[in-house]
Amino acid sequence: MIIKPKVRGFICITAHPQGCAANVRSQIEYVKSKGPLAAMPRRVLVIGASTGYGLASRIVTAFGGNAATIGVFFEKPAEEARTGSAGWYNSAAFESEAHAAGLYAKSLNGDAFSDAVKQQVIDLIKADLGQVDAVIYSLASPRRTHPRTGETFKSTLKPIGAPYTAKTVDTDKGIVSDITIEPASEQEIKDTTAVMGGEDWEMWIDALAHAGVLAPGALTVSYSYIGPKVTQAIYRNGTIGRAKEDLETTAARIGRKLALTGGRAFVSINKALVTQASSAIPVVPLYISLLYRIMKEKGLHEGCIEQIQRLFTERLANGASPQLDPEGRIRIDDLEMLPAIQGAVEKDWPAVTTENLSALTDIAGYRAEFLHLFGFGFKGVDYESETNPLVPVDFAGA
Ligand code: NAD
């Protein structure tokens, strides 16, 4: 079939296998261009490994640290008239590049929240690697079925306490308008925390430790976000922010458990970037478009791969120290949060309208990066040719 982007709201329902492979290769090239990293974990489990920050984490540990990697994700293969998901193609490409470089890489496609997938991962580690030295937890999901109760929780993106009105953009149509979002109920706050908080991360670490597959001195990292004043009501002070607070508290608890065997647990606060997860949050895409323009002008822009490369080179490996903030978190959102950057955001934010969107923000960069997520817009990929969407890969799991 000839595969073109089909954008529906904040999601693209098609993905291009060769384009996704080009995306993965360009991230690998970036990491290789920076040279090998010292004191990196050698056996790494990445949960949420197929797109965004998790994929970048897998690429940096594999190609910067020569690590054997196991990736866990929830992606769809192609079917008759439908392309596979971007994460499916990314992971197929990652495995093929890793194998060509002589690196161990295996993946499990299934629900990471389930006990069954945790057990499959434990069995795979026992069979192939013995233990893992690092666990990167990078899930972003709209729902979670609890493995013990069978209850399914849905996460919501809402303010807490009062309705919130703010400027947002329809990134597809380029229309800036105000939206009002009603506050979440107590139940919605709890449910969002059940999906995006720390419980599942801790369940993973407990299960791995109990099975004896966590190496002494193991490192675990999960990702969080704080962000600017303009998104505070919907993000950090909203339902997702509550879940992130829970994740951060969990890091401290996991850290105390791992310390008994010399291990460490961190939450890293990362930069706002275009990913499948962030494009679904109201207001955030407009902020990202403005942020990109300002950070690019100042030569400070980074994508997922640059962020995670810096996380390992300047915070977690290479002889670096994590440089924690007063709340015990790693901050690689340091450049985004610089007063000069946030001052410029606050100055320009009130002025953004539909008419000046292209001039005042980097909406073009936002759209290009959004299409990149699905493998579109890469040089050297022939988008006019017939492409076979079926990329057969032997990922384990359902
Ligand atoms: P993403 O949508 O690109 O990636 C999500 C990953 O989770 C994918 O690999 C997907 O397959 C996997 N996944 C989802 N549900 C799953 C399930 N049930 N079982 C197995 N795998 C599942 O998201 P992202 O933006 O890279 O987010 C990763 C983390 O980084 C999140 O915690 C997010 O809050 C955090 N973060 C994101 C940003 C940002 O701006 N994008 C900024 C800071 C922190």
Side-chain angles (χ1 to χ4, degrees):
M1 67 173 80
I2 301 207
I3 305 175
K4 298 276 178 189
K6 279 193 194 151
V7 177
R8 301 281 180 271
F10 53 78
I11 178 105
C12 177
I13 58 169
T14 51
H16 199 285
Q18 275 93 51
C20 289
N23 186 3
V24 168
R25 273 197 306 276
S26 85
Q27 294 191 46
I28 292 173
E29 284 316 312
Y30 172 80
V31 172
K32 281 169 51 180
S33 76
K34 296 289 172 189
L37 304 179
M40 289 285 280
R42 303 311 296 259
R43 299 162 297 179
V44 178
L45 168 63
V46 184
I47 302 159
S50 54
T51 54
Y53 275 115
L55 174 64
S57 306
R58 195 174 192 189
I59 291 174
V60 170
T61 50
F63 287 89
N66 267 318
T69 58
I70 293 177
V72 181
F73 43 78
F74 211 7
E75 301 293 348
K76 287 198 180 83
E79 275 171 21
E80 283 178 28
R82 207 186 59 196
T83 72
S85 59
W88 178 273
Y89 294 140
N90 289 342
S91 302
F94 172 85
E95 283 207 3
S96 124
E97 294 289 333
H99 296 159
L103 294 168
Y104 172 98
K106 284 193 186 174
S107 304
L108 269 136
N109 187 41
D111 181 7
F113 296 127
S114 71
D115 284 343
V117 163
K118 290 183 177 70
Q119 190 56 49
Q120 282 176 349
V121 169
I122 288 167
D123 293 343
L124 184 59
I125 297 172
K126 278 187 180 163
D128 288 4
L129 303 176
Q131 291 185 316
V132 288
D133 308 296
V135 179
I136 315 291
Y137 186 87
S138 186
L139 287 189
S141 174
R143 71 187 66 79
R144 168 177 175 227
T145 299
H146 197 282
R148 307 288 139 80
T149 64
E151 195 179 344
T152 297
F153 302 100
K154 276 178 67 186
S155 71
T156 46
L157 295 158
K158 290 190 178 178
I160 293 174
Y164 166 61
T165 300
K167 213 182 269 200
T168 194
V169 67
D170 177 326
T171 50
D172 199 19
K173 299 194 176 80
I175 294 170
V176 177
S177 60
D178 274 355
I179 55 160
T180 298
I181 308 166
E182 293 303 315
S185 65
E186 277 308 312
Q187 193 58 46
E188 286 172 321
I189 299 170
K190 276 194 196 137
D191 289 357
T192 306
T193 302
V195 181
M196 289 296 288
E199 187 187 21
D200 182 61
W201 182 23
E202 191 168 11
M203 282 180 161
W204 267 101
I205 299 299
D206 287 348
L208 295 166
H210 183 72
V213 297
L214 268 189
L219 164 76
T220 186
V221 188
S222 186
Y223 300 137
S224 183
Y225 184 64
I226 295 176
K229 280 193 196 139
V230 297
T231 63
Q232 218 163 48
I234 187 70
Y235 197 96
R236 193 64 199 190
N237 293 342
T239 47
I240 181 70
R242 284 287 178 88
K244 290 301 187 188
E245 278 170 19
D246 183 70
L247 187 83
E248 291 163 24
T249 314
T250 307
R253 207 164 45 239
I254 295 176
R256 286 193 291 276
K257 291 183 192 173
L258 291 185
L260 300 173
T261 52
R264 301 178 297 162
F266 296 110
V267 161
S268 171
I269 310 288
N270 298 354
K271 178 193 179 192
L273 284 173
V274 183
T275 65
Q276 292 186 42
S278 70
S279 57
I281 308 173
V283 188
V284 167
L286 184 58
Y287 165 69
I288 291 181
S289 305
L290 183 55
L291 179 74
Y292 274 24
R293 192 212 89 219
I294 294 163
M295 291 192 81
K296 284 178 185 175
E297 273 173 10
K298 296 196 188 308
L300 295 174
H301 178 68
E302 296 173 303
C304 287
I305 197 69
E306 290 87 358
Q307 278 268 291
I308 301 302
Q309 174 78 14
R310 196 153 67 81
L311 174 65
F312 280 93
T313 49
E314 296 182 7
R315 301 291 201 277
L316 290 175
N318 249 3
S321 80
Q323 304 162 46
L324 305 178
D325 73 4
E327 282 75 34
R329 307 168 294 204
I330 293 175
R331 302 298 296 266
I332 53 167
D333 66 338
D334 46 357
L335 303 178
E336 172 183 355
M337 300 313 282
L338 283 173
I341 301 289
Q342 288 306 318
V345 167
E346 278 171 41
K347 181 175 127 322
D348 286 348
W349 179 262
V352 179
T353 61
T354 303
E355 290 67 37
N356 65 21
L357 182 68
S358 301
L360 211 50
T361 79
D362 185 25
I363 187 75
Y366 183 99
R367 286 183 178 134
E369 225 170 271
F370 179 77
L371 290 175
H372 278 174
L373 298 179
F374 303 92
F376 297 106
F378 286 97
K379 284 202 185 89
V381 177
D382 183 356
Y383 292 101
E384 303 305 324
S385 282
E386 279 290 329
T387 303
N388 183 359
L390 296 171
V391 174
V393 206
D394 192 15
F395 297 136

